[in-house]
Every structure is written in structure tokens, then in C-alpha cells.
């Protein structure tokens, strides 16, 4: 995904239950790979790609740490 040219920013959702995720961080796309510090204490994560219009254009699967 990080190579996708239409992505303007990333949203990181996390929680301790897969069906209850909260937006915990976001960042503008920064080059080919964008690092986002999310801290610790989360069990499940999902990433959403956002275009320059603020539209969500991609959603990852929910991942368990």
C-alpha cells in the first residue's frame, strides 16, 4: 500500500477486541514507507488509506498482535 500514489494519509485504528476499534493515530503519507508510532497495549489493529479528498480508499484486514 505505501507505494500507492493516490494515498494522502493513513489512519490507524486499534483496540483490545476486534469489533471495537478506535482511531488512535493518523499521519500524512511520508515517502514510500510511513512510520506511525501507536504506543503499546493494543491487541488488534486496522489501517485505513485516505486520499486527498478525505475519502477512505482502502482498508486492511484486522490484525492481531
Amino acid at each position: 500500500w505505501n507505494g500507492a500514489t493516490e494515498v494522502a494519509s493513513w489512519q490507524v485504528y486499534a483496540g483490545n477486541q476486534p469489533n471495537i476499534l478506535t482511531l488512535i493515530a493518523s499521519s500524512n503519507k511520508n515517502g514510500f514507507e510511513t512510520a506511525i508510532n501507536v504506543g503499546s497495549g493494543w491487541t488488534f489493529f486496522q489501517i485505513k488509506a485516505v486520499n486527498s479528498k478525505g475519502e477512505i480508499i482502502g482498508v486492511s484486514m484486522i490484525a492481531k498482535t
Side-chain angles (χ1 to χ4, degrees), residues 8-34:
S9 63
W10 303 102
Q11 296 178 340
V12 181
Y13 291 78
N16 292 314
Q17 298 178 43
N19 58 337
I20 304 174
L21 301 178
T22 303
L23 178 64
I24 62 161
S26 61
S27 178
N28 289 333
K29 180 180 171 186
N30 184 11
F32 183 72
E33 293 184 1
T34 301

